[in-house]
Amino acid sequence: MELPYYNLVRNPFQNRTLDFARPDDEKLFVREVDGCHGITALEPAMRERARAEQPMCVVVMGGSGTGRTTVAHYLVKLWRGLVTRRNLVVRCEPMPDSDVEVFLTELVLYLRNEIESSGIHLADSTSKLIDSLESLPGKGTIGPKLERVLRNVDTDLKAKDWGFACVIERAPTGRLLEELKRAFAKTAGLVVVTVDDVNPTASEVRAAAKQHLADSGFGGLLELNVLPGADVRVLIDRRWTTVSPLRNPFDLDGLEEVFSTMQRPIARVLFLLSQMLVYRHGEVAPGAVWPDDDALAFTRDAIRNNLPMADVTWREVSR
């Protein structure tokens, strides 16, 4: 959406999920806020495992609007920059009551479909192994064969200078992490698993992530929360300066103070600030120009006073 009074061709605070397929997409996604601090701490391990062609699994946990999927996609983007091969990416979501073995079989089938649609040919022996997964009776029988299947898939991809990464949305159980570690042990792939922290099994998944991933060096856990005021300041400042050389219309000290006592997750913060900008753009006299016209600015009081109305809109669109 254009905001000509602010000399903007797009709203810098408009929220959307990062697209790892776009090379310039991360410019609007700030890493220095909330759980994204953990990415910096995780990078050395990612770099080491990528260099050694070892697999890695990262769990991204947080509530609604905390940016789980964006962080997951950023990790994929980061991994792509660390490995020398091109990477296929598979995204899938298990059903809440799905059996772990059934889901992992579906994951391999998704991966094969992605490989074939990219014009890559798997060895006949690998294809036969994948086909045989569907005929196994279930729990306790698929693990060893799944490890062999994924090792073969990884070998076939390496021969053509390809690799793979998987994003699994909303893990239903901690046991999935244990099985993922076993299944991907002989590959050089990345698996990112997102977890809604209001899920009844969230505590179980958190404990499993620490036991099977973080403590063993196989991966890590990133936990996303609401943004403290200082992080809101960084977020809004970086977003604005990415798209405009003009002074930020929001009082940054005011933002930090207001959101220190009225904390919200990143998606909601961006929505609220985006709405404020749109409202103000529609309220001022035609022909107003920022930064010459102070009517387009947001003081500390203006931020605090406009939050309730923007919050109402958020609740309406979030139903």
Side-chain angles (χ1 to χ4, degrees):
M1 177 182 181
E2 290 189 25
L3 299 168
Y5 299 165
Y6 288 101
N7 196 29
L8 294 173
V9 295
R10 60 171 169 166
N11 190 327
F13 311 125
Q14 189 170 358
N15 184 50
R16 61 179 174 81
T17 299
L18 178 147
D19 180 358
F20 52 72
R22 291 177 51 173
D24 63 340
D25 204 44
E26 73 274 13
K27 289 180 181 177
L28 277 181
F29 295 88
V30 179
R31 294 168 51 199
E32 296 88 348
V33 298
D34 187 41
C36 298
H37 287 300
I39 295 177
T40 303
L42 203 59
E43 270 193 67
M46 293 185 73
R47 195 176 304 278
E48 181 62 31
R49 294 190 76 84
R51 183 168 53 242
E53 297 192 337
Q54 294 176 325
M56 188 163 192
C57 181
V58 180
V59 172
V60 181
M61 178 174 288
S64 175
T66 54
R68 293 188 308 258
T69 301
T70 283
V71 171
H73 288 187
Y74 187 87
L75 289 169
V76 170
K77 205 174 185 83
L78 178 60
W79 185 262
R80 280 178 154 183
L82 294 174
V83 297
T84 57
R85 295 182 298 276
R86 294 168 290 177
N87 264 248
L88 293 162
V89 181
V90 178
R91 288 171 287 191
C92 53
E93 180 178 346
M95 296 297 290
D97 58 350
S98 63
D99 182 86
V100 170
E101 281 82 1
V102 172
F103 168 67
L104 289 175
T105 299
E106 292 172 349
L107 177 62
V108 173
L109 296 177
Y110 294 153
L111 180 57
R112 177 170 66 178
N113 290 341
E114 191 68 29
I115 290 170
E116 291 176 347
S117 65
S118 299
I120 303 170
H121 178 68
L122 292 172
D124 290 341
S125 58
T126 302
S127 293
K128 289 177 181 177
L129 271 174
I130 294 174
D131 290 336
S132 70
L133 287 176
E134 296 182 274
S135 64
L136 293 174
K139 201 164 190 176
T141 63
I142 198 171
K145 180 165 280 191
L146 190 63
E147 180 182 339
R148 182 182 171 196
V149 167
L150 285 168
R151 182 182 64 223
N152 282 22
V153 168
D154 190 63
T155 299
D156 290 353
L157 288 174
K158 280 181 183 175
K160 301 178 185 298
D161 202 31
W162 279 86
F164 66 88
C166 300
V167 176
I168 300 173
E169 299 281 4
R170 290 185 281 276
T173 170
R175 182 167 167 262
L176 176 63
L177 303 183
E178 182 180 1
E179 295 301 325
L180 283 171
K181 180 180 178 182
R182 181 179 296 117
F184 285 85
K186 300 298 177 60
T187 74
L190 172 71
V191 185
V192 184
V193 182
T194 70
V195 183
D196 190 334
D197 67 4
V198 301
N199 189 299
T201 63
S203 296
E204 171 194 327
V205 176
R206 182 184 288 107
K210 291 178 179 178
Q211 177 185 354
H212 299 294
L213 306 182
D215 291 349
S216 67
F218 191 83
L221 170 66
L222 297 177
E223 298 208 49
L224 310 182
N225 301 287
V226 294
L227 295 186
D231 279 1
V232 173
R233 180 190 186 113
V234 171
L235 177 68
I236 301 310
D237 183 41
R238 297 289 177 85
R239 285 263 183 159
W240 179 267
T241 56
T242 297
V243 301
S244 176
L246 303 177
R247 177 166 56 91
N248 196 318
F250 287 93
D251 177 348
L252 295 177
D253 289 336
L255 277 175
E256 182 170 350
E257 180 183 306
V258 171
F259 281 97
S260 290
T261 57
M262 306 171 73
Q263 294 183 353
R264 291 162 171 82
I266 188 170
R268 189 166 181 174
V269 168
L270 289 172
F271 179 88
L272 297 177
L273 274 291
S274 173
Q275 287 298 302
M276 286 188 202
L277 210 60
V278 171
Y279 292 155
R280 182 60 55 85
H281 191 276
E283 291 171 349
V284 298
V289 178
W290 177 255
D292 298 335
D293 195 330
D294 286 339
L296 288 163
F298 289 87
T299 63
R300 184 187 320 255
D301 288 340
I303 295 167
R304 190 180 298 278
N305 294 337
N306 278 270
L307 268 179
M309 181 171 62
D311 265 328
V312 170
T313 306
W314 166 266
R315 286 192 288 271
E316 289 174 351
V317 301
S318 300
R319 286 175 182 169

